[in-house]
Amino acid sequence: MAFRRRNKSYPFFSQEFLIQNHADIVFSLVIFILIGLMFESTSTGCFNKPDYVFCVFLPSFVCLEGEVTTYHYGWKDCATILFYFFITIILHAVVQEYLLDKVNRRLHLSKSKNTKFNESGQLGVFHLVSSVWSFYILITEGYLLHPSSLWENYPHLHLRFQVKFFYLTQLAYWLHALPELYFQKVRKEEIPRQLQYICLYLLHISVAYLLNLSRVGLVLLFLQYVSELGFHIARLLYFTDENHQKMFDLWAVSFVFTRMATLTLMFLAVGFGLARCENQGLDIEMGNFNTLLIRMTVLLVVCLTQSWLLWKFIRFQLRRWREFRHEQAVRKKATAKQPVRQLKRDTFGYHENGVLKAENGVSPRTKKLKSP
């Protein structure tokens, strides 16, 4: 008869209690926030105004262009990001509880590999969804078929629903990754590395959103997410079976291609495309940031980031190559030190395993003459 194992109870507001039940706590906070927003909206008539139809999901300024409703950013985006910040924490806990933990129990990984497996599992799901979502937006908006639309008619102040919603959810996800470092009990050695790429994502997404470079940012995020998806898939396969090494080679090729494509696109769109636009100058009210200083700053930030990523990649590949050569050298020395097996020679042959063997086809035994 099998008994269900009871979870260990912790004191209220202790560290273990918050980590074990953080999804339930966040869900309760979201419910209270929604109830408060509904009471406030019914008292002020927020839901009755046409300009605030999406005041919960997209609380920003609305601009009607014919039959297409477009949006531009405002201070109310902070409330939207906060709302989806809590939603992503809940989704993170769901993926961890119902998908990754079940796989971990079957693999029986060590503590260090378990942490990396959870990280790659969470980021793999996010990069898969984000890459498919961004590719769908690029196809429906026509940015891939018309590359010149990435810089023409700048500033791209008015965004469609799917574009604005994509950027807000991206910011919410990378902001939620900060408290998840505490909830997931990440080791102190891993925190600086994870903080680096979290801050880089937040910086680049925020710059593309606030400087009205949303179209170029969409293409760059798509390339980046596809490359990172290949890396996390390769690492997940490696944890399941250490013989899966070919996926890392494919990821290495895609990583270098992504860096080159990112630099080429940035110089084409920002360095040449925006430099030839007619509306040069700084106009914050119109969302125009097309000045030489801002363009050079954006290019410098992107170039430094891509160069830093390439430098880390080259160092990783060199270290991996040195370890491989060192293992080969150790194996050769081990095989060379093994004693050579010498056989005991006899006059007619040699002994092997206690048995007298013939040499050159001659029998070591003397033939017995038959009696006439």
Side-chain angles (χ1 to χ4, degrees), residues 29 47 59 61 78 89 109 135 174-176 206 239 250-251 253 262 287 301 314 317 331 338 342 366:
L29 289 175
F47 289 106
F61 301 100
C78 298
I89 291 179
L109 299 175
F135 182 73
W174 291 113
L175 283 174
H176 111 280
S206 301
F239 287 141
L250 295 177
W251 165 75
V253 175
T262 299
V301 170
I314 292 172
Q317 294 296 331
R331 290 177 182 176
Q338 289 181 356
Q342 297 183 358
T366 56

Side-chain angles (χ1 to χ4, degrees), residues 22-23 26-27 30 80-96 122 125-126 129-130 133 165-180 183-184:
H22 71 277
V26 170
F27 181 74
V30 171
T80 309
I81 294 173
L82 179 62
F83 175 79
Y84 287 106
F85 170 83
F86 293 129
I87 295 297
T88 48
I89 291 179
I90 298 173
L91 295 177
H92 186 110
V94 169
V95 173
Q96 184 68 39
Q122 294 286 349
V125 173
F126 170 73
V129 175
S130 297
W133 190 4
F165 186 54
F166 176 80
Y167 271 97
L168 294 183
T169 51
Q170 294 296 312
L171 291 173
Y173 181 87
W174 291 113
L175 283 174
H176 111 280
L178 296 174
E180 285 295 338
F183 291 141
Q184 295 294 326

Side-chain angles (χ1 to χ4, degrees), residues 346-350 356-359 361-367:
D346 202 354
T347 55
F348 295 98
Y350 58 92
L356 186 64
K357 298 290 183 180
E359 187 175 320
V362 180
S363 177
R365 298 182 180 180
T366 56
K367 294 184 179 179

Side-chain angles (χ1 to χ4, degrees), residues 37-49:
L37 286 174
M38 292 190 66
F39 275 110
E40 183 181 357
S41 62
T42 53
S43 60
T44 58
C46 174
F47 289 106
N48 297 326
K49 295 180 181 180

Side-chain angles (χ1 to χ4, degrees), residues 115-350:
T115 303
K116 294 180 180 179
F117 182 85
N118 291 332
E119 179 189 1
S120 293
Q122 294 286 349
L123 291 177
V125 173
F126 170 73
H127 288 144
L128 176 62
V129 175
S130 297
S131 58
V132 173
W133 190 4
S134 58
F135 182 73
Y136 173 78
I137 295 175
L138 292 175
I139 292 297
T140 55
E141 297 292 333
Y143 299 153
L144 292 181
L145 300 178
H146 304 283
S148 60
S149 62
L150 298 177
W151 60 82
E152 289 180 350
N153 301 322
Y154 181 83
H156 308 136
L157 182 62
H158 298 151
L159 306 176
R160 292 192 179 183
F161 172 80
Q162 59 180 356
V163 179
K164 183 177 178 63
F165 186 54
F166 176 80
Y167 271 97
L168 294 183
T169 51
Q170 294 296 312
L171 291 173
Y173 181 87
W174 291 113
L175 283 174
H176 111 280
L178 296 174
E180 285 295 338
L181 296 176
Y182 172 77
F183 291 141
Q184 295 294 326
K185 292 184 178 181
V186 179
R187 295 186 303 172
K188 293 182 179 179
E189 297 82 8
E190 295 289 329
I191 290 178
R193 179 185 63 85
Q194 295 191 23
L195 281 177
Q196 285 177 358
Y197 69 77
I198 291 172
C199 294
L200 284 176
Y201 273 113
L202 287 173
L203 174 64
H204 287 75
I205 295 173
S206 301
V207 168
Y209 183 66
L210 296 176
L211 297 183
N212 297 316
L213 297 172
S214 57
R215 299 181 181 181
V216 180
L218 269 173
V219 181
L220 296 182
L221 283 176
F222 170 71
L223 294 174
Q224 177 66 22
Y225 286 156
V226 170
S227 175
E228 291 298 310
L229 176 63
F231 170 73
H232 292 294
I233 290 177
R235 193 155 73 162
L236 290 174
L237 292 177
Y238 174 77
F239 287 141
T240 56
D241 187 3
E242 294 185 357
N243 295 324
H244 291 291
Q245 298 282 347
K246 295 182 179 179
M247 283 295 296
F248 284 107
D249 299 333
L250 295 177
W251 165 75
V253 175
S254 66
F255 182 87
V256 177
F257 173 77
T258 303
R259 305 285 80 78
M260 297 297 105
T262 299
L263 292 174
T264 304
L265 182 62
M266 284 301 298
F267 277 103
L268 180 64
V270 179
F272 295 98
L274 294 181
R276 296 182 179 181
C277 291
E278 298 179 356
N279 49 353
Q280 301 285 332
L282 179 62
D283 190 353
I284 299 178
E285 294 183 358
M286 296 298 297
N288 187 11
F289 300 94
N290 192 8
T291 62
L292 179 61
L293 179 61
I294 294 178
R295 291 199 304 269
M296 291 298 103
T297 304
V298 171
L299 285 175
L300 180 62
V301 170
V302 174
C303 289
L304 288 178
T305 304
Q306 301 303 314
S307 302
W308 179 69
L309 292 174
L310 275 174
W311 172 245
K312 288 187 63 178
F313 174 77
I314 292 172
R315 288 183 60 187
F316 171 76
Q317 294 296 331
L318 288 176
R319 185 174 68 251
R320 184 182 175 189
W321 179 74
R322 290 194 193 101
E323 292 175 355
F324 178 73
R325 292 297 299 271
H326 179 69
E327 290 179 359
Q328 282 189 337
V330 170
R331 290 177 182 176
K332 287 182 180 179
K333 289 181 180 179
T335 54
K337 289 182 179 180
Q338 289 181 356
V340 181
R341 189 175 184 182
Q342 297 183 358
L343 303 175
K344 185 178 179 181
R345 296 284 176 178
D346 202 354
T347 55
F348 295 98
Y350 58 92

Side-chain angles (χ1 to χ4, degrees), residues 15-122:
Q15 180 181 3
E16 292 81 4
F17 179 83
L18 291 175
I19 293 174
Q20 183 176 351
N21 303 281
H22 71 277
D24 299 332
I25 296 172
V26 170
F27 181 74
S28 302
L29 289 175
V30 171
I31 295 298
F32 281 118
I33 291 173
L34 283 178
I35 294 174
L37 286 174
M38 292 190 66
F39 275 110
E40 183 181 357
S41 62
T42 53
S43 60
T44 58
C46 174
F47 289 106
N48 297 326
K49 295 180 181 180
D51 293 346
Y52 292 90
V53 174
F54 300 97
C55 66
V56 173
F57 300 98
L58 281 176
S60 59
F61 301 100
V62 180
C63 177
L64 298 177
E65 294 181 354
E67 297 180 355
V68 179
T69 303
T70 58
Y71 305 85
H72 59 93
Y73 60 81
W75 64 271
K76 294 183 180 179
D77 289 341
C78 298
T80 309
I81 294 173
L82 179 62
F83 175 79
Y84 287 106
F85 170 83
F86 293 129
I87 295 297
T88 48
I89 291 179
I90 298 173
L91 295 177
H92 186 110
V94 169
V95 173
Q96 184 68 39
E97 179 70 22
Y98 294 99
L99 181 61
L100 298 179
D101 287 346
K102 293 183 178 180
V103 179
N104 284 331
R105 295 189 191 100
R106 295 183 178 181
L107 295 179
H108 303 287
L109 299 175
S110 62
K111 189 174 182 181
S112 59
K113 289 185 177 181
N114 190 14
T115 303
K116 294 180 180 179
F117 182 85
N118 291 332
E119 179 189 1
S120 293
Q122 294 286 349

